[in-house]
Amino acid sequence: MLVPLMGALLLLGVAAAGAGIVITVLLLKNPPLALAKLCAVLALTFSSSAVAVYCYGWYSVTLGGPFPELCEDRNASGAEWAGTHQEYWPLRNACSYSDGSTVEHVGMSINVLVCVLASLAVVLTGAAAFLRRRAPQPPEGNAVHLV
């Protein structure tokens, strides 16, 4: 049940990131530039990119990729292979050996990329909210009322 959900999130993340990039380009080409809107679109782009990268890493852990075939029977120090270790946060696939050492096959780069993208999304969301509040509001006295 979780595999189709993560697949849908992966596709949705890629589609939303692509749409965010297109919208960002359109916002930059058509002045005047609303900085609050640009921050909001960039926040959407970074957050959906973080979702897509996490789902990609999740699939690499769940489906195994080249893992556990990469596990050696003995490591460089001669310790025997004791088993495999999988975690979903942080994403980790590792060969465990009897001397306590591990060899990871999903590097920290995926986790770092997810954290950086998500952090940028949070900062940009806050910036968009701040800029939206500071933007001058149109006067309410000029509204047209239809009877």
Side-chain angles (χ1 to χ4, degrees):
M1 171 83 175
L2 201 54
V3 172
L5 174 66
M6 293 302 271
L9 284 174
L10 176 63
L11 292 176
L12 185 65
V14 169
I21 290 169
V22 169
I23 292 170
T24 301
V25 168
L26 291 175
L27 281 174
L28 291 173
K29 281 188 175 182
N30 297 324
L33 181 64
L35 201 52
K37 288 181 184 178
L38 181 64
C39 286
V41 170
L42 287 174
L44 170 73
T45 304
F46 286 132
S47 61
S48 56
S49 297
V51 168
V53 170
Y54 179 80
C55 291
Y56 168 77
W58 186 89
Y59 271 112
S60 70
V61 170
T62 303
L63 301 178
F67 183 81
E69 290 81 16
L70 292 175
C71 292
E72 302 284 334
D73 291 336
R74 294 185 177 277
N75 67 1
S77 64
E80 288 193 23
W81 177 60
T84 59
H85 185 75
Q86 294 182 325
E87 291 179 13
Y88 296 103
W89 189 257
L91 289 168
R92 183 173 180 223
N93 254 352
C95 302
S96 300
Y97 293 95
S98 60
D99 64 353
S101 64
T102 59
V103 177
E104 293 197 17
H105 294 288
V106 176
M108 287 301 294
S109 60
I110 290 177
N111 294 320
V112 168
L113 186 58
V114 168
C115 290
V116 167
L117 290 171
S119 299
L120 283 171
V122 168
V123 168
L124 285 168
T125 301
F130 177 76
L131 290 171
R132 179 77 176 158
R133 283 186 160 222
R134 291 196 38 122
Q137 301 296 324
E140 293 189 24
N142 295 339
V144 176
H145 299 283
L146 299 175
V147 184

